[in-house]
Amino acid sequence: MSQNPAAATEAPPAGVPAADPKRWVALAVIAIAQLMVVLDATIVNIAMPSAQEALHISDANRQWIVTAYTLAFGGLLLLGGRIADYVGRRKIFLIGLIGFAFASALGGIATNAVTLFAARGLQGAFGALLAPAALSLITVTFTDVKDRAKAFGVFGAISGVGAAIGLILGGLLTEYTTWRWCLLVNIPIALGAFFLALPVVRESRAEGNTKYDIPGTILATGGLVALVYAFTKAAEDGWSSGVTLALFAVAAVLLVGFVVWEARSAHPLLPLRVVLHGNRGGSFLVSVLLGAGMMGMFLFMTYYFQGTLQYSPLKSGIAYLPFSLAIIVTAIVASGLLPKVGPRVMMTVGGVLATAGMAWLTQLRIDSSYATLILPALVIMAVGMGLVFVPLGNTALTGVSNRDAGVASAMVNTTQQIGGSLGVALLNTVFTNAVADYVTENGPDQTPLGVVHGYNVAFTVSAVLLAASALLIFLMIRNVRTPVGTTAGGVDAPAPVAVHVG
């Protein structure tokens, strides 16, 4: 981007650090890292059917390809932000890049399901270091409010554009090379960003208390893993089996323990005051439900495209493009409308539209038309999602203090990832049981019809989740005039909300 030479040499206002002359180059490097994280989500989504077949992964366990990543990412994101602040944002950014490259290499050469799941978990863990470090680096690198707004705009746009690119790239790599390259492609990107960052990204860290809430992290992440594993065992052994019930009990104990610990901890990972507020608490619940419904939809539509309609991986990626483009266009339009109509109306309409789009998908047949059934449903759903996610960043920060702005902002992405993890696990179990019941009643020769029946049952549950989110929006979200903000030199500016596709 071009810069005004006069502005570059003009003395900054008192109390505001001088602008970094390499800030736009640093932004380009940080954007590359963000692009890699976004690409990874959509590329892997397209590659899942091929990876499942190659590594002989069961239908009950395939959801771990997604949830191993999202659980680690969502469960460790708040801790990752604190580590980046206290250890050094540049240092953690570089460690995150190298770690993400290593985890991608491990997944790319995986010869069994366990190795692939472990690699995806490692990717999520290093992503939980990389993402908050990148956002913090933008905040401290761009001290001018207008420059910072432009930088966050670029960073946010990467999510939408990167998702579209990932869909096509995932299809190309899977179809013309192998699904393994959908993971291995991260290696040159990460290493390139690492070496480019060395001379241009400045180090920064927060001062003061540097204690970490390790017990809170263990309780929250352990509880979520136990909950997802319980859903998996329900698909294999049934909802009433002893192992399934025991895992649900363990999950409940750990998650309740997390709440109790956070209420008493002097240095909580998630201060309960952040979530015990109408708009903020409602926003986080909505984010969980939307993540659950949306991520589950992408899992099953990918298998429907490639397994039932016999689309190639590339054609499957192209089939998703209207969804990505509709979200981008809706986000642009919604940003202009938000000050006029307020978040409550916009988000409620969005929740209803997203529910309607998902309900439309419950009419899938073994030979459904993409143009007349699938495409309209995807576009309606994308418009609804865009109308919800644009205001969500503001409503999640209603009345939050500057000291909690970073946690509240990260919670939007954390809850979306956790919702996605739980949704994929739950819906995959619903799908597996529905197919099994259908085949039992109608015979093994009806398995293809049973699979489509399973998709429709899963989409029905997804529609219920999205409808619940619309109801929560209407009941809990209230219009607010002034979103949280920061001064020019602050480090707690709210981060843009990432809308993950697949």
Side-chain angles (χ1 to χ4, degrees):
M1 297 184 181
S2 61
Q3 298 296 306
N4 185 339
T9 58
E10 185 178 342
V16 178
D20 184 350
K22 297 180 180 179
R23 61 191 181 280
W24 296 109
V25 180
L27 175 62
V29 175
I30 295 169
I32 291 173
Q34 171 68 0
L35 179 63
M36 177 185 67
V37 174
V38 173
L39 285 175
D40 183 75
T42 49
I43 284 178
V44 170
N45 183 70
I46 297 296
M48 276 185 65
S50 298
Q52 180 185 356
E53 182 181 1
L55 298 183
H56 309 292
I57 302 172
S58 69
D59 284 349
N61 284 321
R62 67 185 178 187
Q63 49 89 11
W64 286 107
I65 301 175
V66 175
T67 54
Y69 177 89
T70 53
L71 272 177
F73 185 88
L76 299 175
L77 187 60
L78 294 177
L79 178 63
R82 291 187 181 273
I83 292 174
D85 286 340
Y86 299 148
V87 174
R89 299 170 181 114
R90 177 180 183 270
K91 182 182 295 183
I92 295 302
F93 180 74
L94 296 174
I95 291 173
L97 286 170
I98 294 299
F100 204 90
F102 169 78
S104 298
L106 181 63
I109 62 173
T111 57
N112 54 60
V114 172
T115 304
L116 179 60
F117 299 158
R120 292 290 287 159
L122 273 178
Q123 280 186 306
F126 283 110
L129 293 176
L130 186 59
L135 286 169
S136 297
L137 284 171
I138 290 177
T139 304
V140 299
T141 301
F142 290 87
T143 54
D144 178 77
V145 174
K146 292 183 179 179
D147 279 356
R148 184 183 294 169
K150 293 178 183 177
F152 275 129
V154 171
F155 193 86
I158 289 292
S159 294
V161 175
I165 295 173
L167 293 169
I168 301 300
L169 186 58
L172 286 170
L173 290 173
T174 303
E175 187 166 345
Y176 295 110
T177 59
T178 170
W179 65 269
R180 297 181 182 279
W181 274 104
C182 293
L183 291 165
L184 297 174
V185 71
N186 292 324
I187 300 172
I189 299 175
L191 294 180
F194 178 88
F195 288 110
L196 288 172
L198 289 176
V200 298
V201 176
R202 289 181 176 180
E203 183 61 280
S204 67
R205 58 175 54 88
E207 302 297 333
N209 191 336
T210 59
K211 293 185 178 180
Y212 305 110
D213 184 10
I214 301 299
T217 303
I218 293 173
L219 286 169
T221 306
L224 292 169
V225 170
L227 187 55
V228 170
Y229 193 39
F231 287 134
T232 303
K233 295 305 290 183
E236 296 176 341
D237 304 334
W239 292 97
S240 60
S241 76
V243 174
T244 301
L245 295 176
L247 286 168
F248 278 125
V250 170
V253 169
L254 290 175
L255 293 175
V256 170
F258 170 73
V259 174
V260 173
W261 175 264
E262 295 304 284
R264 298 182 177 183
S265 174
H267 309 284
L269 181 71
L270 174 62
L272 295 186
R273 61 181 176 269
V274 173
V275 297
L276 296 178
H277 178 281
N279 264 22
R280 294 200 299 269
S283 298
F284 299 142
L285 287 173
V286 167
S287 183
V288 169
L289 292 171
L290 288 179
M294 185 171 65
M295 295 286 278
M297 182 274 290
F298 276 98
L299 171 69
F300 296 117
M301 283 308 301
T302 297
Y303 279 89
Y304 177 76
F305 283 147
Q306 296 186 34
T308 302
L309 296 184
Q310 297 297 306
Y311 283 9
S312 67
L314 178 57
K315 189 174 181 180
S316 299
I318 294 173
Y320 281 128
L321 278 183
F323 183 94
S324 298
L325 296 176
I327 276 194
I328 294 170
V329 172
T330 303
I332 295 171
V333 174
S335 296
L337 289 177
L338 181 58
K340 301 175 183 178
V341 303
R344 189 187 188 202
V345 171
M346 181 177 290
M347 293 175 71
T348 301
V349 171
V352 171
L353 285 176
T355 303
M358 188 66 76
W360 194 324
L361 282 181
T362 63
Q363 306 305 308
L364 280 182
R365 297 293 180 264
I366 200 166
D367 57 352
S368 291
S369 166
Y370 175 82
T372 60
L373 192 146
I374 299 171
L375 178 60
L378 291 179
V379 171
I380 292 171
M381 202 182 311
V383 171
M385 292 289 185
L387 291 175
V388 174
F389 277 116
V390 167
L392 193 63
N394 282 337
T395 58
L397 295 168
T398 303
V400 72
S401 64
N402 278 341
R403 64 174 175 165
D404 292 330
V407 173
S409 181
M411 273 295 290
V412 180
N413 289 330
T414 296
T415 49
Q416 186 182 337
Q417 294 290 333
I418 289 172
S421 303
L422 299 178
V424 167
L426 170 63
L427 294 171
N428 193 60
T429 298
V430 168
F431 164 82
T432 303
N433 289 338
V435 174
D437 292 343
Y438 189 95
V439 172
T440 300
E441 293 177 7
N442 298 278
D445 59 321
Q446 298 299 308
T447 296
L449 290 175
V451 169
V452 176
H453 169 72
Y455 295 148
N456 289 333
V457 173
F459 289 146
T460 300
V461 176
S462 291
V464 171
L465 293 172
L466 296 181
S469 75
L471 181 61
L472 275 177
I473 290 168
F474 182 75
L475 295 176
M476 299 187 69
I477 301 299
R478 294 293 179 266
N479 288 339
V480 288
R481 291 186 176 183
T482 307
V484 68
T486 59
T487 58
V491 295
D492 290 320
V497 178
V499 181
H500 298 283
V501 181

